[in-house]
Amino acid sequence: MWRRVGRLAAVVAIGGAGLAACGGAGPLPPALADPALREQQRQAFVDAMKPARAGRPVVAIVALNEGTEVTDFLLPHALLQRAGVADVQPVAVQRGRVQLTPALAVDLPQSLADFDRAHPRGADIVIVPAMVQDDHPAVSAWLKRQAGQGARILGICSGARVVGQAGLLDGRRFAGHWFDRSTLLRRHAGAVHVPHQRYLADRGVATTTGITASLPAMLALVEALGGRERASALAAEIGVPDWAPEHDSAPFGLTLPRAASYLAAKAAFWRHQRQLVDVRDGADDIALALAADAWSRTGHVQVNAVAEGAGRVRLASGLALQVGGADAGLPRIVLAPGLKPAAQLDRTLCEIDSRFGAARRQWVMQEMEYAGPLACG
């Protein structure tokens, strides 16, 4: 986070000339509404992500203990567990606590070395979330080995930076979070940014746009692993109307007012209000991740998970979430029990709008690269 704040401070200082350096390399071409092209792009991703080996696929979701993006990690794990189409293996550099950013923490019982011993042939697919350090030596080396053994690599959001630091983006087409476009182009010889696609694959390496692209990308991955019917049923279950790769990238980028607003929010971190979310065993990972992520990105709220008795609770996916003890004196984030998990994001954004105003809600949508449509009644 602080690297990004520092870069944004420089943008504000030098004016409009610096905007392209943070938000991309120049203006984007217009998005084209072409149903045939959209279907072709979806099918290309599905075909590219089918495992090369026979048998039940092994999907590893890798985490950096010091900081891994909460939605990038929790949502793919939960969605693939719900789908039941693969052996899903969460794995960290070291077993134990993984700090999720900007909120929450989980305990993972499996290290990279543990995974390698259990799966000497490697994973079929490795999912790479955004991490606070994109060039961690152990992660980079492990990703190189996995790719060398034939694994499909999928970088979620700024996980593309991690994938790139492992040497897997050079000469490839990529999507990536809007903030990372120019960085990825500068770092990787021959790499080509493809706008207006939420997810795409190029020769065994796939990438997505911002945080919320994990929903359609994971449904497309479920289709690759379990078929169209299973993906369609899962989409209906979680409240996603479709998982097409179509995406208008043009609205996502920095302007001077947006950069100044962002810096003002982050500079006020000492005024953060602690806000608690009550979590019980069986809580939905997807709804929890989306709510905690969005509230934390307002720049005003620090989200902590609590339960009756500090320790751990077991989420619906089976992950162990670290929780503190309940505190009756602090405000609560309420996860609506009757709401489909994906709808929790819209509900949270409307609550942010009501509490902090439309400008702050719009910035959260920018950070999460979420276009809506959003209807707040």
Side-chain angles (χ1 to χ4, degrees):
M1 179 188 77
W2 292 112
R3 287 183 186 176
R4 187 167 291 185
V5 171
R7 290 167 64 195
L8 281 168
V11 169
V12 174
I14 64 177
L19 292 176
C22 283
L28 297 174
L32 299 176
D34 185 338
L37 178 61
R38 178 177 63 180
E39 178 58 22
Q40 178 184 342
Q41 291 168 342
R42 184 197 62 78
Q43 191 61 52
F45 180 89
V46 169
D47 292 342
M49 297 305 290
K50 289 180 179 178
R53 299 186 292 234
R56 186 172 176 82
V58 174
V59 180
I61 306 176
V62 63
L64 181 66
N65 298 79
E66 293 83 357
T68 300
E69 213 287 328
V70 59
T71 301
D72 292 357
F73 182 80
L74 290 185
L75 192 150
H77 180 264
L79 205 55
L80 290 170
Q81 288 284 26
R82 279 179 182 243
V85 296
D87 177 11
V88 185
Q89 297 286 323
V91 55
V93 174
Q94 300 293 332
R95 66 176 80 122
R97 177 186 172 90
V98 172
Q99 179 62 53
L100 300 175
T101 60
L104 309 180
V106 292
D107 281 323
L108 297 187
Q110 183 172 220
S111 70
L112 298 179
D114 295 331
F115 180 89
D116 290 342
R117 284 190 291 270
H119 302 279
R121 293 198 309 163
D124 293 282
I125 295 165
V126 177
I127 297 174
V128 186
M131 299 176 184
V132 294
Q133 181 182 348
D134 61 22
D135 60 350
H136 191 282
V139 174
S140 295
W142 189 77
L143 289 176
K144 286 180 185 178
R145 289 199 305 274
Q146 291 295 320
Q149 290 177 287
R152 314 295 197 233
I153 309 296
L154 171 52
I156 303 292
C157 184
S158 290
R161 297 169 69 107
V162 183
V163 172
Q165 294 285 30
L168 301 176
L169 278 190
D170 290 14
R172 284 186 166 92
R173 298 176 303 121
F174 68 89
H177 189 283
W178 59 263
F179 196 94
D180 299 325
R181 293 172 197 158
S182 61
T183 298
L184 295 173
L185 288 168
R186 184 180 70 251
R187 285 180 177 177
H188 305 296
V192 178
H193 173 246
V194 179
H196 311 312
Q197 280 192 241
R198 303 243 351 147
Y199 52 82
L200 63 91
D202 185 350
R203 289 168 292 147
V205 176
T207 49
T208 79
T209 57
I211 296 165
T212 52
S214 54
L215 271 170
M218 286 305 105
L219 288 167
L221 182 57
V222 169
E223 182 178 355
L225 301 179
R228 187 70 178 262
E229 186 176 336
R230 182 67 192 106
S232 181
L234 187 60
E237 181 183 327
I238 65 172
V240 177
D242 72 73
W243 58 96
E246 189 175 41
H247 176 62
D248 186 359
S249 301
F252 296 98
L254 283 178
T255 63
L256 280 173
R258 285 177 188 157
S261 173
Y262 182 85
L263 279 174
K266 296 305 181 186
F269 71 95
W270 59 84
R271 296 203 300 265
H272 275 182
Q273 307 158 12
R274 284 187 65 214
Q275 195 154 317
L276 306 181
V277 55
D278 288 296
V279 185
R280 296 179 175 85
D281 284 336
D284 186 88
D285 311 52
I286 298 171
L288 175 64
L290 291 171
D293 210 335
W295 275 113
S296 298
R297 289 178 185 280
T298 62
H300 291 308
V301 174
Q302 175 188 328
V303 177
N304 298 100
V306 296
E308 291 299 329
R312 303 175 186 172
V313 299
R314 194 69 61 177
L315 297 175
S317 72
L319 285 178
L321 180 77
Q322 292 191 351
V323 296
D327 186 333
L330 290 173
R332 293 303 205 258
I333 295 170
V334 178
L335 303 180
L339 208 58
K340 291 186 176 182
Q344 183 64 52
L345 179 59
D346 281 11
R347 176 191 174 101
T348 301
L349 289 167
C350 289
E351 290 171 345
I352 289 170
D353 190 305
S354 177
R355 183 167 172 186
F356 296 125
R360 191 51 45 91
R361 182 258 301 163
Q362 287 165 357
W363 177 255
V364 173
M365 293 174 72
Q366 275 280 316
E367 278 211 344
M368 299 183 78
E369 202 156 345
Y370 181 58
L374 188 66
C376 299

